[in-house]
Amino acid sequence: MINCKSQTELEKMRRSGRIVGQVLETVKALVAPGVSTMDLERVAEEKIHELGAKPAFKGYYDYPCVLCTSVNNEIIHGIPSEKRVLKEGDIVSIDCGVVLDGYYGDSAITVPVGNTIAPELKKLLEVTETSLKKAIQEVRLGKTVGDVGAAVQEYVESNGFSVVREFVGHGIGTRLHEEPQVPNYGVRGHGTRLREGMVLAIEPMVNIGKPEARVLGDKWTAVTVDGSYSAHFEHCVAVTRNGPLVLTE
Ligand code: MF3
Ligand code: CO
């Protein structure tokens, strides 16, 4: 069952979405060599509370933190740690979710650490973010979830990178994860047809090398099997009669 949101509900989701956006902006400004992923976590937790929201991830299936911080070959769900100190040339994905007034927001960015990013990594970040922008453009009445996934896949693969299959985007609303699943691959015209008020959390995960993922012994951190670097961007997007409405910026 897919929950379509009313105008009032979308306004609430916009408020929680904005807070996630503000948290990510705050944390992004802090990313630098010598900063640990736990430093990012602390600032995020404080900011979420300051903005009057609650973290969505902490306690979700016993996940211990408000952020996921995934460095280099880590795809998603990296757990912040005092021991993980960022260094020049790394890339870090920062994923944050909050709940406000019963409605969830969920968004992620991947940013370089320091000023000397390798050209291949710069391209990885650009291609992944652009693939999300292209997917967002598919969020229109009459399009399908397959169109959204195909937009990501076509753009990523035409740039020589690969999309992860083991993890997918999702519907979102009064729960962090709602139907439908939103894969980053697909066939145009296939899958659930988009209707007014649906909200999709679209989250391309893109590897430089092979698409396969595996989960580490901590039961959370997903890494690339081939060790190649990976990037992740995410926005929540509502289907409206006027086209896509991004809620998390
Ligand atoms: N953005 C991710 C997702 O939607 C983050 C979830 S982390 C978890 O699945 F801890 F909450 F599971
Ligand atoms: Co998500």
Side-chain angles (χ1 to χ4, degrees):
M1 216 264 296
I2 297 174
N3 288 314
C4 293
K5 281 80 181 172
S6 67
Q7 196 60 45
T8 316
E9 289 182 290
L10 289 185
E11 278 159 23
K12 289 185 182 191
M13 293 197 71
R14 204 167 195 180
R15 285 197 277 275
S16 59
R18 280 223 176 93
I19 290 176
V20 177
Q22 283 176 271
V23 173
L24 290 179
E25 280 306 307
T26 304
V27 172
K28 179 182 177 180
L30 207 84
V31 169
V35 171
S36 81
T37 53
M38 187 54 84
D39 294 331
L40 305 181
E41 164 75 12
R42 272 193 292 267
V43 168
E45 184 158 33
E46 194 177 293
K47 191 77 187 174
I48 291 169
H49 288 114
E50 183 188 311
L51 295 171
K54 291 209 168 87
F57 299 170
K58 198 171 183 172
Y60 187 81
Y61 290 97
D62 289 330
Y63 185 75
C65 291
V66 308
L67 293 182
C68 300
T69 51
S70 310
V71 183
N72 297 343
N73 62 312
E74 297 170 357
I75 302 167
I76 49 166
H77 298 170
I79 303 172
S81 160
E82 216 72 73
K83 288 185 214 137
R84 192 72 196 244
V85 179
L86 299 172
K87 56 184 200 308
E88 185 81 27
D90 284 347
I91 55 171
V92 58
S93 149
I94 305 159
D95 191 350
C96 183
V98 306
V99 57
L100 179 78
D101 201 10
Y103 287 83
Y104 283 79
D106 183 10
S107 182
I109 54 175
T110 304
V111 296
V113 180
N115 315 309
T116 51
I117 185 172
E120 182 78 337
L121 294 181
K122 187 163 184 280
K123 182 182 166 195
L124 175 68
L125 301 193
E126 283 169 1
V127 167
T128 309
E129 188 167 18
T130 302
S131 76
L132 174 56
K133 293 217 166 93
K134 291 189 180 280
I136 289 169
Q137 283 311 312
E138 300 291 325
V139 179
R140 296 173 189 282
L141 294 176
K143 296 269 194 175
T144 67
V145 169
D147 289 316
V148 174
V152 173
Q153 185 177 15
E154 285 163 10
Y155 186 71
V156 166
E157 292 180 353
S158 73
N159 277 282
F161 297 144
S162 64
V163 297
V164 173
R165 309 293 202 275
E166 286 95 334
F167 300 93
V168 296
H170 49 94
I172 182 167
T174 55
R175 287 173 294 135
L176 176 61
H177 295 138
E178 298 186 353
E179 286 176 58
Q181 293 200 355
V182 183
N184 296 300
Y185 54 91
V187 179
R188 288 193 180 271
H190 284 222
T192 304
R193 200 156 289 279
L194 303 185
R195 296 204 320 274
E196 200 171 352
M198 282 185 187
V199 182
L200 305 179
I202 307 173
E203 46 182 320
M205 291 151 253
V206 175
N207 299 349
I208 288 184
K210 295 203 163 66
E212 287 76 20
R214 69 184 175 89
V215 176
L216 297 184
D218 65 12
K219 303 271 179 66
W220 282 102
T221 314
V223 300
T224 59
V225 168
D226 66 4
S228 67
Y229 281 34
S230 185
H232 174 219
F233 284 82
E234 177 176 21
H235 272 308
C236 296
V237 189
V239 183
T240 81
R241 65 186 72 184
N242 302 318
L245 174 63
V246 179
L247 301 168
T248 37
E249 59 185 14

